[in-house]
Amino acid sequence: MAEIIRIKKGLDIPMKGAPSSAVTDDNKTTLFAVCPDDFPGPVWKAVVKPGDKVNAGDPLMKDKATGTICLTSPVAGQVEEVRRGERRHIEFISVRKQQEDTVRDFGKASSPEEIRNAMLSSGLWAMMRQRPFDIVPETSTMPRDIFVTAFDTAPLAASVLDSELASHLEAGLECLARLTSGKVYLGVKAGSGISSRAAETVEFEGPHPAGNVGTQIAAIRPVNKGETVWALDAATAARIGILCTKGVADYHTTIALTGPCVKDPHLVRTMTGASVTSLLEGNLSAKDDIRIISGNVLTGIKIDKEGFLHYPYRQITVIPEGSHADEFMGWASVDPAKFSVKRSFPAFLRGLGKPFDFDARIKGGHRAMILSGEYDKVFPFDIYPEYLLKAIIAGDIDRMEKLGIYEVAPEDFALPEFVDTSKIELQKIVREGLDNLRKELS
């Protein structure tokens, strides 16, 4: 029987716009893109130019340091654009899909070396994360353990695995087990019935962030200084299984269209990096004053209507901006439809299980960090978040190490950022702190 770990600290945010179980196929999207900023760590260089023909699985970008880690095209077609920003930084490379979909053959893989090479050239290596630093794993590292999460507890999140990928999960876990001298841990939702022979299954129950892989690592076996672990979701693990057993990379994904501004929240089967234009066409309740987010409201990326799905490709959330909101008494209103983690509004009388109509307003002003303990109520790590954040801001490396910087990633601070009275961008602070620490130690 699998061990059950109960996460007590956290918060489930009751939002309107949860997806139904209905699944539709995306037959209209023809433009797909890969955004290198979704894959932190390496410096990426383009290996294609507009007009080049590519197969599904062909490289679009490679890391400059080794030239072995690839970001690949999810579809066969023609490279449409290499969009660059300031200082020629690549923002994305887009590919226009052709009718005839040709897929690159990577060959079946069984030995550790073959598995690593196949993952590097297929783009699946870049879909993993290394802790410390929350970056794409360095090719020279050997992980102490590998952690796989099979569920998502973020607001309005759908299942991590669809039925097709689920059938290949065990094969993927067997491949991952050959890449570490330690263990592969599979974190599943309590009562889900998911188990594995190749991995040690651990069941979790409790509020968000129970589904975050960082929470699971901290609860099972935390990362210490000098140690390296890899983390990924179960969908990526299943894709690794397909790659090693069939020799092809599977880039399909099932995402959820969610949020109060979506007419029909449901699931859509599409490809990674799909343009959201056709996905949302005719399904928005308003055209103006809306915010489109690739991902969930806590950790997602704001995009425009011509934007693309960003990694990890699980959902699109559409909420009102709230810029035209006109409330009686403004922030001092005692409207029972207002959500608060404290009892500032009478909404708690109706129960927090009922969904609320959130918008994108911050509803507060920036101020100094208040050591009130409010982060600790939603932060299930055995560290002091306020003191760690202050050490990051001060650039005190010794104190950062003592306070647990090697255990965390920006997404672990999404809930503290949500409940923060001071409205500080905590995830940005952690990301910059991890990047600066890596530079100092390299």
Side-chain angles (χ1 to χ4, degrees), residues 59-280:
L60 301 178
M61 285 172 271
K62 292 184 178 182
D63 72 301
K64 283 187 177 181
T66 67
T68 58
I69 309 175
C70 299
L71 299 180
T72 55
S73 174
V75 295
Q78 180 174 306
V79 176
E80 181 145 311
E81 181 182 7
V82 179
R83 175 73 62 85
R84 295 184 182 270
E86 295 181 0
R87 304 180 70 177
R88 293 186 57 77
H89 171 72
I90 301 174
E91 295 182 355
F92 64 81
I93 296 180
S94 58
V95 178
R96 180 73 63 179
K97 183 181 179 182
Q98 295 178 337
Q99 294 296 326
E100 190 175 330
D101 200 6
T102 53
V103 182
R104 180 180 177 184
D105 185 3
F106 295 95
K108 297 180 181 180
S110 57
S111 69
E113 189 65 25
E114 290 174 342
I115 294 170
R116 290 173 71 94
N117 290 337
M119 291 173 60
L120 286 165
S121 56
S122 67
L124 295 184
W125 185 278
M127 293 185 184
M128 298 192 299
R129 291 293 175 268
Q130 169 191 307
R131 296 206 183 193
F133 309 127
D134 189 43
I135 58 173
V136 173
E138 297 171 351
T139 56
S140 59
T141 60
M142 173 65 73
R144 184 203 69 193
D145 299 300
I146 299 176
F147 294 84
V148 182
T149 180
F151 69 112
D152 191 352
T153 51
L156 306 180
S159 174
V160 172
L161 283 171
D162 58 30
S163 57
E164 183 176 337
L165 285 175
S167 62
H168 298 280
L169 177 59
E170 184 66 17
L173 295 173
E174 290 175 357
C175 293
L176 289 170
R178 296 170 192 158
L179 300 181
T180 176
S181 57
K183 292 184 178 181
V184 176
Y185 293 96
L186 177 63
V188 303
K189 188 175 183 180
S192 65
I194 299 175
S195 61
S196 170
R197 298 183 303 275
E200 183 174 320
T201 305
V202 182
E203 295 188 356
F204 288 84
E205 65 178 20
H208 183 65
N212 282 6
V213 71
T215 303
Q216 296 172 16
I217 295 172
I220 298 170
R221 194 181 174 193
V223 183
N224 298 310
K225 183 178 181 179
E227 297 178 337
T228 299
V229 302
W230 292 351
L232 63 156
D233 60 21
T236 302
R239 293 187 183 105
I240 293 171
I242 296 173
L243 175 68
C244 295
T245 57
K246 297 184 177 181
V248 295
D250 189 326
Y251 301 104
H252 93 267
T253 183
T254 300
I255 65 160
L257 302 181
T258 65
C261 291
V262 176
K263 292 179 183 177
D264 177 26
H266 66 283
L267 306 178
V268 178
R269 182 183 167 88
T270 183
M271 305 295 287
T272 60
S275 169
V276 303
T277 303
S278 55
L279 295 175
L280 293 174

Side-chain angles (χ1 to χ4, degrees), residues 258-264 276-277 280-293 303-305 317-324 357-359:
T258 65
C261 291
V262 176
K263 292 179 183 177
D264 177 26
V276 303
T277 303
L280 293 174
E281 185 178 2
N283 201 17
L284 295 177
S285 59
K287 294 183 178 180
D288 301 317
D289 197 36
I290 60 172
R291 177 172 297 194
I292 303 173
I293 302 168
I303 59 175
D304 56 33
K305 294 178 182 178
T317 310
V318 189
I319 61 175
E321 282 284 1
S323 55
H324 302 308
D357 195 0
F358 286 87
D359 58 38

